[in-house]
Amino acid sequence: MQSIWALLSFGPEGWGDDLAYGVFITVSLALVTLPLGLMIGFLVALAKRSEEPSLRLAGNIYTTIFRGLPELLTLFLVFYGAQIGIQQLVRLVSPETTVEINSFIAGMVALGVVFSSYASEVFLSAFRAIPRGQYEGGYSVGLSPRQTMRLVILPQLVRIALPGLSNLWLILLKDTALVSAVGLTDIVRQASIAARVTKQAFLFFGVSCLIYLALAIISSFGINAIERRVGKREVAK
């Protein structure tokens, strides 16, 4: 038992600091991906409910592609494919220049577009759940379409979409494990390195499972607090 605690301790003799750094990278990646995915998802939802056929078509193509592709394949396309494409463009100007895409940025972009494709459907369903009379009521009191969206529709949209977006956050948190495939030192990669060095695969992958479960539990408490706060605001109105 002492050897196990020694392996998990902090300092030069243990792997605790490496796992802690992996937790930091994992949580950081999820947190920076979330607003990107929400913003793109909301814009795609607006496009899919637009009266302009080309925007609706573009939104449908976007969600079909990124909901249909495996997340790992999307990550590889961004990390390797985008790097090749940017390299070719840069060589037109400077043939000697080399371009490398940071694995953190690649993970953020790949997970962001996947998250946004699912978030757009959540937003779209929330839009459809809001009665048309809410828009007409905003217009009737002199609000512009933008003001109606910001003051009348968005507060209701957030309340309706929150449960679905909460589930997507938990999925995003778990999907960050995929970035270990492109060399980012997240929880899974740090555990893999420790397992190879110490020959204690069950220990370190088991600890990784516990870490992800702890992050999910903490997220659930945070989500429940947000839902209660939104519910109280709704009751107060």
Side-chain angles (χ1 to χ4, degrees):
M1 181 63 68
Q2 290 180 350
S3 62
I4 292 177
W5 290 117
L7 289 172
L8 297 177
S9 64
F10 291 84
E13 300 298 326
W15 292 86
D17 47 353
D18 299 282
L19 292 174
Y21 181 73
V23 173
F24 171 75
I25 293 297
T26 294
V27 174
S28 298
L29 179 59
L31 288 177
V32 299
T33 301
L34 180 64
L36 174 67
L38 289 175
M39 181 182 67
I40 298 176
F42 182 73
L43 294 177
V44 172
L46 289 178
K48 294 182 71 170
R49 64 188 299 273
S50 172
E51 297 180 356
E52 176 59 42
S54 60
L55 289 178
R56 291 200 305 271
L57 178 62
N60 287 324
I61 291 175
Y62 180 90
T63 54
T64 299
I65 291 175
F66 291 112
R67 290 172 67 196
L69 290 178
E71 288 88 344
L72 185 59
L73 182 56
T74 303
L75 177 61
F76 285 158
L77 287 174
V78 173
F79 185 69
Y80 297 109
Q83 186 166 262
I84 294 172
I86 295 173
Q87 181 72 63
Q88 295 299 323
L89 291 175
V90 170
R91 282 181 177 175
L92 295 175
V93 180
S94 178
E96 302 300 324
T97 303
T98 59
V99 177
E100 292 184 5
I101 294 181
N102 182 277
S103 56
F104 187 93
I105 299 299
M108 181 184 69
V109 173
L111 295 177
V113 295
V114 172
F115 180 92
S116 66
S117 64
Y118 289 97
S120 67
E121 295 299 314
V122 174
F123 283 127
L124 189 61
S125 298
F127 272 121
R128 291 170 177 167
I130 299 175
R132 185 64 188 174
Q134 296 291 318
Y135 296 87
E136 296 172 352
Y139 302 150
S140 66
V141 296
L143 297 179
S144 66
R146 182 171 297 181
Q147 290 173 324
T148 300
M149 176 63 68
R150 181 170 59 88
L151 299 176
V152 179
I153 303 303
L154 276 181
Q156 300 178 68
L157 188 76
V158 170
R159 177 178 56 83
I160 297 171
L162 189 57
L165 295 177
S166 301
N167 290 331
L168 291 181
W169 160 254
L170 294 177
I171 294 173
L172 172 64
L173 195 60
K174 294 183 294 181
D175 281 349
T176 56
L178 297 174
V179 298
S180 62
V182 294
L184 192 63
T185 53
D186 69 322
I187 296 172
V188 174
R189 183 163 180 81
Q190 296 285 37
S192 299
I193 295 172
R196 287 197 302 270
V197 172
T198 63
K199 310 300 181 184
Q200 295 286 342
F202 182 79
L203 170 64
F204 285 102
F205 287 122
V207 170
S208 298
C209 291
L210 294 177
I211 292 173
Y212 277 107
L213 285 174
L215 292 176
I217 292 171
I218 294 172
S219 297
S220 297
F221 281 117
I223 290 168
N224 290 335
I226 294 173
E227 290 179 342
R228 286 195 300 270
R229 186 171 182 179
V230 171
K232 288 180 180 179
R233 285 184 178 179
E234 194 68 22
V235 171
K237 292 178 180 180

